[in-house]
Amino acid sequence: MKQVLTLLLLILSCFAGFGSDKHTYVYNIAGSDTLRLDFYKALTETPAPVVVFAFGGGFKGGERDNKEYIPMFEYLSDNGVSVASIDYRTLLKSVPPQILMSPDGFKASLIAAIDTAVTDLLRATSYIDANSAKLNIDPKQIFTLGSSAGAITVLQAEYDICNSAVSLPSFGLPAEFNYAGVISMAGAVYAEGFPHLDTVPCPILLFHGDADSVVPFDKAVLGDFGLWGSNTLAGILSEKTIPHRFHRVNGASHEIATRPMTEDRGEILDFIRAVCNFEAGNIVNTVESTPGLTDYRTDFTILDYIKSNL
């Protein structure tokens, strides 16, 4: 009986560790902020792809270890993809509401917050790249995945890389570095004027609802400045025949910032595998609708987005 119990405990301990090999590392110290990442290691012998995850929270808050995200991390690690869920600085939390209520104040504060988050993402990426052997990841298969503010961050990082708006060597990354793929759940990029791409981006998977009142599905413009959402970005990529996938959800609002992590995680894993197997050369547009749902608002202005983010 004692031998049976011992064997049972060993079996249970093995199952308890499956998919939950998590370690926390400090990847940078920025002033008074100690920035960490939680690394969920894929149970593979060969170097694995890795997804760098950026949480949502309107650049005001959010947690890398939010319990809502953990099942997605474990799903990926169980299926051979490591995950690094990172801290990044959230600058809007210290901006007074009266400044954010002004369009010019909102613009300046938002740009600073996005640029800071991009800086932290690139520093985390550099840490992962430099420690690829220790982490058992393939440095040529580094993906990003973001939710809401995190989705803006990962898209903006790729946009800046493609337009040489960041110096990658200053972050400790090779000058020719690019991500293997970007996955955005309700994201956008900021640009002065209509967005442009000087070089071809990596494959991109976009999720967005066309009734999103928090992050623009199409665009929110203030003079020459604009927040350009997934619909605009997919149109640019399609016009240039750049491989991407766009999953549009008609009638959905900002729940698409997290919903794909439960309802569409198979699509996310398929995208990652397709990129790793050099099979992501197509343009795929998916439109999801609720039958009978037609009466909903989509004509949000920049002021609507400002109010939603106060």
Side-chain angles (χ1 to χ4, degrees):
M1 176 64 73
K2 184 176 180 180
Q3 290 177 331
V4 172
L5 288 173
T6 302
L7 179 60
L8 180 60
L9 288 172
L10 286 171
I11 293 172
L12 288 174
S13 67
C14 289
F15 277 107
F18 185 72
S20 57
D21 186 6
K22 171 188 164 185
H23 298 273
T24 301
Y25 303 96
V26 174
Y27 75 82
N28 192 35
I29 296 176
S32 61
D33 294 301
T34 299
L35 302 175
R36 297 177 172 83
L37 64 82
D38 292 334
F39 187 75
Y40 299 79
K41 187 177 181 181
L43 302 179
T44 61
E45 294 184 4
T46 57
V50 62
V51 168
V52 185
F53 177 77
F55 57 76
F59 298 104
K60 294 181 179 180
E63 303 83 27
R64 70 178 190 276
D65 56 352
N66 187 316
K67 64 181 181 180
E68 186 177 8
Y69 306 146
I70 307 302
M72 177 64 183
F73 302 159
E74 294 185 340
Y75 170 79
L76 289 174
S77 63
D78 286 351
N79 284 279
V81 180
S82 293
V83 177
S85 183
I86 69 167
D87 287 333
Y88 63 89
R89 289 167 289 170
T90 50
L91 264 58
L92 290 189
K93 67 176 178 285
S94 11
V95 179
Q98 60 267 29
I99 292 179
L100 292 178
M101 288 174 66
S102 156
D104 288 338
F106 179 78
K107 170 187 170 181
S109 301
L110 181 62
I111 289 174
I114 295 172
D115 287 348
T116 299
V118 167
T119 292
D120 293 340
L121 172 64
L122 291 173
R123 293 210 180 280
T125 302
S126 178
Y127 177 90
I128 292 164
D129 180 70
N131 291 278
S132 58
K134 178 177 77 172
L135 300 174
N136 194 36
I137 62 101
D138 184 342
K140 294 182 179 179
Q141 295 181 348
I142 301 177
F143 293 77
T144 55
L145 166 63
S147 166
S148 190
I152 293 173
T153 301
V154 300
L155 285 175
Q156 192 72 45
E158 180 63 16
Y159 185 76
D160 288 350
I161 289 171
C162 290
N163 292 310
S164 302
V166 290
S167 170
L168 293 173
S170 70
F171 292 96
L173 289 164
E176 68 279 3
F177 173 83
N178 199 359
Y179 292 105
V182 173
I183 304 157
S184 163
M185 300 179 297
V189 300
Y190 80 78
E192 296 284 351
F194 194 75
H196 67 282
L197 295 168
D198 289 344
T199 59
V200 176
C202 65
I204 297 175
L205 170 58
L206 302 161
F207 293 92
H208 218 136
D210 71 345
D212 194 332
S213 62
V214 179
V215 176
F217 170 75
D218 192 36
K219 62 184 178 182
V221 178
L222 178 64
D224 290 334
F225 172 81
L227 268 178
W228 308 90
S230 302
N231 193 51
T232 295
L233 299 178
I236 294 169
L237 295 172
S238 293
E239 183 179 353
K240 294 180 176 293
T241 63
I242 296 172
H244 68 281
R245 301 183 185 186
F246 180 27
H247 188 131
R248 167 181 179 153
V249 187
N250 289 341
S253 186
H254 201 55
E255 65 269 18
I256 303 305
T258 56
R259 200 193 77 174
M261 287 191 284
T262 54
E263 297 189 16
D264 303 295
R265 60 188 187 180
E267 185 175 349
I268 292 172
L269 180 61
D270 179 73
F271 172 77
I272 294 169
R273 288 176 170 172
V275 172
C276 292
N277 293 326
F278 304 100
E279 297 172 351
N282 297 325
I283 295 174
V284 180
N285 289 300
T286 303
V287 179
E288 181 182 339
S289 300
T290 302
L293 180 62
T294 56
D295 187 16
Y296 57 89
R297 186 181 175 191
T298 61
D299 59 338
F300 301 105
T301 67
I302 188 72
L303 292 177
D304 291 319
Y305 292 114
I306 290 172
K307 290 176 182 177
S308 294
N309 285 280
L310 288 177

mmCIF file of all heavy atoms in Angstrom, residues 22 32 41 46 59 72 84 113 121 148 151 162 183 193 197 208 218 229 237 240 262 267 278 281-282 285-286 293 306:
data_model
loop_
_atom_site.group_PDB
_atom_site.id
_atom_site.type_symbol
_atom_site.label_atom_id
_atom_site.label_comp_id
_atom_site.label_asym_id
_atom_site.label_seq_id
_atom_site.Cartn_x
_atom_site.Cartn_y
_atom_site.Cartn_z
ATOM 1 N N LYS A 22 6.901 27.865 -14.397
ATOM 2 C CA LYS A 22 6.962 29.324 -14.432
ATOM 3 C C LYS A 22 8.126 29.833 -13.599
ATOM 4 O O LYS A 22 8.339 29.388 -12.474
ATOM 5 C CB LYS A 22 5.646 29.911 -13.911
ATOM 6 C CG LYS A 22 5.663 31.425 -13.690
ATOM 7 C CD LYS A 22 4.381 31.854 -12.985
ATOM 8 C CE LYS A 22 4.506 33.249 -12.411
ATOM 9 N NZ LYS A 22 3.316 33.641 -11.632
ATOM 10 N N SER A 32 12.787 54.139 -10.657
ATOM 11 C CA SER A 32 12.296 53.448 -9.463
ATOM 12 C C SER A 32 11.474 52.207 -9.799
ATOM 13 O O SER A 32 10.963 51.545 -8.896
ATOM 14 C CB SER A 32 11.445 54.410 -8.628
ATOM 15 O OG SER A 32 10.319 54.862 -9.373
ATOM 16 N N LYS A 41 7.622 28.115 -19.462
ATOM 17 C CA LYS A 41 8.481 27.357 -20.350
ATOM 18 C C LYS A 41 7.729 26.220 -21.034
ATOM 19 O O LYS A 41 7.048 25.432 -20.392
ATOM 20 C CB LYS A 41 9.658 26.775 -19.563
ATOM 21 C CG LYS A 41 10.711 26.090 -20.412
ATOM 22 C CD LYS A 41 11.869 25.621 -19.548
ATOM 23 C CE LYS A 41 12.949 24.957 -20.377
ATOM 24 N NZ LYS A 41 14.061 24.483 -19.513
ATOM 25 N N THR A 46 13.710 20.721 -27.866
ATOM 26 C CA THR A 46 14.305 21.639 -28.835
ATOM 27 C C THR A 46 13.895 23.073 -28.508
ATOM 28 O O THR A 46 12.861 23.305 -27.865
ATOM 29 C CB THR A 46 13.851 21.292 -30.258
ATOM 30 O OG1 THR A 46 12.413 21.324 -30.306
ATOM 31 C CG2 THR A 46 14.326 19.892 -30.644
ATOM 32 N N PHE A 59 -3.063 51.822 -20.307
ATOM 33 C CA PHE A 59 -1.819 52.502 -19.928
ATOM 34 C C PHE A 59 -1.931 53.160 -18.558
ATOM 35 O O PHE A 59 -1.175 54.062 -18.227
ATOM 36 C CB PHE A 59 -1.393 53.543 -20.983
ATOM 37 C CG PHE A 59 -1.108 52.945 -22.330
ATOM 38 C CD1 PHE A 59 -2.031 53.083 -23.371
ATOM 39 C CD2 PHE A 59 0.046 52.224 -22.562
ATOM 40 C CE1 PHE A 59 -1.789 52.519 -24.617
ATOM 41 C CE2 PHE A 59 0.295 51.659 -23.807
ATOM 42 C CZ PHE A 59 -0.622 51.812 -24.835
ATOM 43 N N MET A 72 -4.452 30.924 -20.946
ATOM 44 C CA MET A 72 -3.894 31.077 -22.285
ATOM 45 C C MET A 72 -2.395 30.771 -22.278
ATOM 46 O O MET A 72 -1.880 30.095 -23.171
ATOM 47 C CB MET A 72 -4.142 32.499 -22.788
ATOM 48 C CG MET A 72 -3.535 32.793 -24.148
ATOM 49 S SD MET A 72 -4.265 31.791 -25.476
ATOM 50 C CE MET A 72 -3.281 32.329 -26.858
ATOM 51 N N ALA A 84 6.407 34.748 -22.344
ATOM 52 C CA ALA A 84 7.005 35.702 -21.413
ATOM 53 C C ALA A 84 6.013 36.837 -21.215
ATOM 54 O O ALA A 84 5.798 37.651 -22.116
ATOM 55 C CB ALA A 84 8.329 36.234 -21.957
ATOM 56 N N ALA A 113 2.946 57.661 -23.287
ATOM 57 C CA ALA A 113 2.656 56.362 -22.668
ATOM 58 C C ALA A 113 2.964 55.214 -23.627
ATOM 59 O O ALA A 113 3.557 54.198 -23.230
ATOM 60 C CB ALA A 113 1.200 56.314 -22.232
ATOM 61 N N LEU A 121 8.869 47.018 -23.907
ATOM 62 C CA LEU A 121 8.697 45.793 -24.692
ATOM 63 C C LEU A 121 10.001 45.415 -25.393
ATOM 64 O O LEU A 121 10.410 44.246 -25.396
ATOM 65 C CB LEU A 121 7.582 45.982 -25.717
ATOM 66 C CG LEU A 121 7.401 44.859 -26.751
ATOM 67 C CD1 LEU A 121 6.992 43.552 -26.083
ATOM 68 C CD2 LEU A 121 6.373 45.261 -27.810
ATOM 69 N N SER A 148 -5.541 45.129 -25.812
ATOM 70 C CA SER A 148 -5.923 46.524 -25.614
ATOM 71 C C SER A 148 -4.693 47.437 -25.632
ATOM 72 O O SER A 148 -4.059 47.576 -26.665
ATOM 73 C CB SER A 148 -6.721 46.660 -24.311
ATOM 74 O OG SER A 148 -7.307 47.921 -24.182
ATOM 75 N N ALA A 151 -2.009 45.574 -26.918
ATOM 76 C CA ALA A 151 -2.106 45.378 -28.372
ATOM 77 C C ALA A 151 -1.595 46.616 -29.110
ATOM 78 O O ALA A 151 -0.925 46.511 -30.145
ATOM 79 C CB ALA A 151 -3.547 45.076 -28.770
ATOM 80 N N CYS A 162 9.427 48.934 -38.588
ATOM 81 C CA CYS A 162 9.302 49.002 -40.047
ATOM 82 C C CYS A 162 9.623 50.384 -40.595
ATOM 83 O O CYS A 162 10.007 50.516 -41.767
ATOM 84 C CB CYS A 162 7.885 48.603 -40.469
ATOM 85 S SG CYS A 162 7.534 46.857 -40.234
ATOM 86 N N ILE A 183 0.530 39.515 -32.743
ATOM 87 C CA ILE A 183 -0.879 39.166 -32.530
ATOM 88 C C ILE A 183 -1.509 40.273 -31.695
ATOM 89 O O ILE A 183 -1.069 40.535 -30.571
ATOM 90 C CB ILE A 183 -1.021 37.807 -31.826
ATOM 91 C CG1 ILE A 183 -0.285 36.717 -32.616
ATOM 92 C CG2 ILE A 183 -2.496 37.445 -31.640
ATOM 93 C CD1 ILE A 183 0.106 35.522 -31.792
ATOM 94 N N GLY A 193 -0.498 61.821 -39.686
ATOM 95 C CA GLY A 193 -0.888 61.524 -41.057
ATOM 96 C C GLY A 193 -1.251 60.054 -41.202
ATOM 97 O O GLY A 193 -1.194 59.278 -40.244
ATOM 98 N N LEU A 197 4.309 52.280 -44.370
ATOM 99 C CA LEU A 197 5.294 51.256 -44.027
ATOM 100 C C LEU A 197 6.486 51.389 -44.960
ATOM 101 O O LEU A 197 6.354 51.197 -46.167
ATOM 102 C CB LEU A 197 4.675 49.856 -44.142
ATOM 103 C CG LEU A 197 3.539 49.526 -43.164
ATOM 104 C CD1 LEU A 197 2.833 48.256 -43.588
ATOM 105 C CD2 LEU A 197 4.073 49.407 -41.742
ATOM 106 N N HIS A 208 -10.487 42.311 -33.772
ATOM 107 C CA HIS A 208 -11.112 43.574 -33.368
ATOM 108 C C HIS A 208 -12.615 43.510 -33.599
ATOM 109 O O HIS A 208 -13.083 42.886 -34.553
ATOM 110 C CB HIS A 208 -10.535 44.746 -34.166
ATOM 111 C CG HIS A 208 -10.359 45.995 -33.349
ATOM 112 N ND1 HIS A 208 -9.222 46.777 -33.418
ATOM 113 C CD2 HIS A 208 -11.174 46.599 -32.428
ATOM 114 C CE1 HIS A 208 -9.345 47.804 -32.580
ATOM 115 N NE2 HIS A 208 -10.532 47.720 -31.982
ATOM 116 N N ASP A 218 -11.464 51.473 -36.646
ATOM 117 C CA ASP A 218 -11.002 52.034 -37.909
ATOM 118 C C ASP A 218 -10.002 53.165 -37.659
ATOM 119 O O ASP A 218 -8.816 53.031 -37.944
ATOM 120 C CB ASP A 218 -12.188 52.532 -38.732
ATOM 121 C CG ASP A 218 -11.794 52.853 -40.169
ATOM 122 O OD1 ASP A 218 -10.938 52.135 -40.714
ATOM 123 O OD2 ASP A 218 -12.334 53.820 -40.737
ATOM 124 N N GLY A 229 -6.835 52.008 -36.269
ATOM 125 C CA GLY A 229 -7.168 50.693 -35.755
ATOM 126 C C GLY A 229 -6.992 49.571 -36.759
ATOM 127 O O GLY A 229 -6.495 49.751 -37.878
ATOM 128 N N LEU A 237 -2.317 46.571 -45.300
ATOM 129 C CA LEU A 237 -1.625 45.302 -45.548
ATOM 130 C C LEU A 237 -2.192 44.601 -46.785
ATOM 131 O O LEU A 237 -1.442 44.038 -47.593
ATOM 132 C CB LEU A 237 -1.747 44.400 -44.324
ATOM 133 C CG LEU A 237 -1.061 44.911 -43.053
ATOM 134 C CD1 LEU A 237 -1.421 44.031 -41.856
ATOM 135 C CD2 LEU A 237 0.447 44.978 -43.220
ATOM 136 N N LYS A 240 -1.036 46.258 -50.036
ATOM 137 C CA LYS A 240 0.358 45.939 -50.349
ATOM 138 C C LYS A 240 0.594 44.432 -50.457
ATOM 139 O O LYS A 240 1.741 44.001 -50.600
ATOM 140 C CB LYS A 240 1.268 46.535 -49.268
ATOM 141 C CG LYS A 240 1.270 48.058 -49.231
ATOM 142 C CD LYS A 240 2.193 48.588 -48.146
ATOM 143 C CE LYS A 240 2.271 50.097 -48.163
ATOM 144 N NZ LYS A 240 2.937 50.609 -49.372
ATOM 145 N N THR A 262 -9.709 32.886 -24.984
ATOM 146 C CA THR A 262 -10.510 31.712 -24.619
ATOM 147 C C THR A 262 -11.197 31.108 -25.840
ATOM 148 O O THR A 262 -11.119 29.899 -26.061
ATOM 149 C CB THR A 262 -11.567 32.093 -23.558
ATOM 150 O OG1 THR A 262 -12.352 33.197 -24.036
ATOM 151 C CG2 THR A 262 -10.911 32.473 -22.255
ATOM 152 N N GLU A 267 -6.922 29.503 -32.979
ATOM 153 C CA GLU A 267 -6.538 30.315 -34.133
ATOM 154 C C GLU A 267 -5.187 30.988 -33.892
ATOM 155 O O GLU A 267 -4.354 31.102 -34.805
ATOM 156 C CB GLU A 267 -7.614 31.369 -34.398
ATOM 157 C CG GLU A 267 -7.379 32.199 -35.649
ATOM 158 C CD GLU A 267 -8.527 33.159 -35.955
ATOM 159 O OE1 GLU A 267 -9.596 33.035 -35.326
ATOM 160 O OE2 GLU A 267 -8.339 34.022 -36.822
ATOM 161 N N PHE A 278 6.765 28.489 -41.989
ATOM 162 C CA PHE A 278 6.845 29.273 -43.234
ATOM 163 C C PHE A 278 5.606 29.058 -44.111
ATOM 164 O O PHE A 278 5.685 28.977 -45.328
ATOM 165 C CB PHE A 278 8.112 28.906 -44.018
ATOM 166 C CG PHE A 278 9.374 29.068 -43.222
ATOM 167 C CD1 PHE A 278 9.998 27.972 -42.642
ATOM 168 C CD2 PHE A 278 9.924 30.331 -43.028
ATOM 169 C CE1 PHE A 278 11.161 28.126 -41.893
ATOM 170 C CE2 PHE A 278 11.092 30.494 -42.277
ATOM 171 C CZ PHE A 278 11.708 29.388 -41.711
ATOM 172 N N GLY A 281 1.926 32.822 -45.632
ATOM 173 C CA GLY A 281 2.049 33.731 -46.759
ATOM 174 C C GLY A 281 0.742 34.191 -47.357
ATOM 175 O O GLY A 281 0.739 34.819 -48.421
ATOM 176 N N ASN A 282 -0.368 33.915 -46.696
ATOM 177 C CA ASN A 282 -1.676 34.271 -47.258
ATOM 178 C C ASN A 282 -2.295 35.452 -46.529
ATOM 179 O O ASN A 282 -1.887 35.819 -45.429
ATOM 180 C CB ASN A 282 -2.639 33.077 -47.177
ATOM 181 C CG ASN A 282 -2.157 31.894 -47.994
ATOM 182 O OD1 ASN A 282 -1.565 32.061 -49.055
ATOM 183 N ND2 ASN A 282 -2.403 30.691 -47.498
ATOM 184 N N ASN A 285 -9.122 36.883 -44.220
ATOM 185 C CA ASN A 285 -10.092 37.756 -43.556
ATOM 186 C C ASN A 285 -11.262 36.920 -43.056
ATOM 187 O O ASN A 285 -11.905 36.221 -43.835
ATOM 188 C CB ASN A 285 -10.595 38.834 -44.518
ATOM 189 C CG ASN A 285 -9.528 39.868 -44.830
ATOM 190 O OD1 ASN A 285 -9.034 40.547 -43.943
ATOM 191 N ND2 ASN A 285 -9.168 39.987 -46.097
ATOM 192 N N THR A 286 -11.513 36.998 -41.762
ATOM 193 C CA THR A 286 -12.619 36.280 -41.141
ATOM 194 C C THR A 286 -13.597 37.289 -40.568
ATOM 195 O O THR A 286 -13.199 38.202 -39.829
ATOM 196 C CB THR A 286 -12.113 35.365 -40.008
ATOM 197 O OG1 THR A 286 -11.138 34.457 -40.526
ATOM 198 C CG2 THR A 286 -13.265 34.578 -39.388
ATOM 199 N N LEU A 293 -28.172 40.916 -35.366
ATOM 200 C CA LEU A 293 -27.621 42.080 -34.689
ATOM 201 C C LEU A 293 -27.155 43.099 -35.730
ATOM 202 O O LEU A 293 -26.161 42.913 -36.413
ATOM 203 C CB LEU A 293 -26.432 41.661 -33.807
ATOM 204 C CG LEU A 293 -25.743 42.798 -33.035
ATOM 205 C CD1 LEU A 293 -26.716 43.466 -32.062
ATOM 206 C CD2 LEU A 293 -24.515 42.272 -32.297
ATOM 207 N N ILE A 306 -11.615 59.500 -25.918
ATOM 208 C CA ILE A 306 -11.016 60.163 -24.749
ATOM 209 C C ILE A 306 -11.878 59.893 -23.513
ATOM 210 O O ILE A 306 -11.363 59.522 -22.454
ATOM 211 C CB ILE A 306 -10.880 61.675 -25.010
ATOM 212 C CG1 ILE A 306 -9.799 61.929 -26.064
ATOM 213 C CG2 ILE A 306 -10.540 62.416 -23.708
ATOM 214 C CD1 ILE A 306 -9.725 63.380 -26.524
#
